[in-house]
Amino acid sequence: MVAGHYAISLVAYERHREGPLWLFLIAGMFLDILMILLVLVGVEEMAPGPGATRPGFSTMVIDMSYSHDLVPVAGWAVAMTAAAYLVTRNRGAAIWAGGLVVLHEVADLVSGFPHFVLGPDSPAIGLGLYIHAPVGALVAELLVALACVWWFSTRTRLAGRRQLALYLLSFLGVGALLPMAL
C-alpha cells in the first residue's frame, strides 16, 4: 500500500494542522522507507521468487522481519513518536506521527503481505491479499486513498486543481503497482 499510506497522512494533517505535513507523510510511509533501506543493505529481502518469469506479488520472496513484524513495529511507533516530538516539540504531532506508523501496519495487515509477530518462527498475521487477491488488495487501497482524499478535501474545502491532483495521485499510486498484481 503506497497511495493509501500517503492518503492517511492527509487525515492526520487535517486533524492536527499544527504538525507539519512533511512529518506526517514520512511517518505514514516510514515502515516502507525503512524496509527499502534494509533491503538495500541486505538485512531484509524483497525479490522475485525462484523460477518467476516476471516479478509479481504472488511470487515475491519477502522478508520484512525488522521493519514490518508486529513487535518491531511497536518499537518503531514509539521511536517515531519520540523523534517527532524532538523535531517539532509538539505532543499532538508526535502522537499522530507514531499513530501513522501503527495505521501503516494495520493497513498492511488488511491488504499487504502477511507479517509475523516476531520473525518467521512466530505466527503469521494479516489477510495476505497481495498474495491471494492482489487486484482486490489494490482496489481496497484505491478505495482507502480516495476516501481519505475526499475527507481531506471536504474538511479543508480543497477544490479545483489541487483536489484533482490528489485524486490523480491516488490513481497513479495504485496504478503503478497494477503490473505486479496481474
Side-chain angles (χ1 to χ4, degrees):
M1 185 174 266
V2 175
H5 295 321
Y6 280 125
I8 291 170
S9 299
L10 293 175
V11 173
Y13 180 65
E14 192 285 323
R15 299 304 301 159
H16 192 77
R17 295 303 280 276
E18 296 84 25
L21 178 58
W22 63 264
L23 172 66
F24 296 142
L25 292 170
I26 290 171
M29 284 299 293
F30 177 73
L31 297 178
D32 288 346
I33 294 167
L34 178 64
M35 179 195 64
I36 290 166
L37 293 173
L38 292 174
V39 166
L40 288 173
V41 298
V43 173
E44 291 187 345
E45 181 180 11
M46 177 177 264
T53 57
R54 65 177 185 81
F57 288 141
S58 61
T59 62
M60 296 292 287
V61 174
I62 304 290
D63 171 19
M64 303 180 287
S65 299
Y66 297 99
S67 63
H68 281 75
D69 281 5
L70 204 56
V71 172
V73 166
W76 292 124
V78 170
M80 176 57 73
T81 303
Y85 183 77
L86 289 173
V87 169
T88 65
R89 296 291 182 202
N90 183 305
R91 185 173 297 154
I95 291 169
W96 270 106
L100 285 167
V101 172
V102 173
L103 286 172
H104 178 121
E105 181 77 353
V106 170
D108 278 3
L109 293 176
V110 173
S111 71
F113 294 103
H115 299 335
F116 295 103
V117 174
L118 184 60
D121 295 330
S122 65
I125 54 175
L127 299 178
L129 291 182
Y130 272 3
I131 295 170
H132 305 296
V135 173
L138 292 181
V139 168
E141 177 177 358
L142 181 60
L143 292 174
V144 166
L146 293 175
C148 290
V149 168
W150 173 83
W151 192 85
F152 179 78
S153 296
T154 59
R155 296 285 192 166
T156 61
R157 295 186 176 23
L158 187 69
R161 290 182 182 170
R162 290 181 180 179
Q163 182 184 32
L164 179 61
L166 288 177
Y167 281 117
L168 287 175
L169 285 172
S170 297
F171 279 104
L172 290 173
V174 172
L177 296 176
L178 191 58
M180 297 287 289
L182 301 175

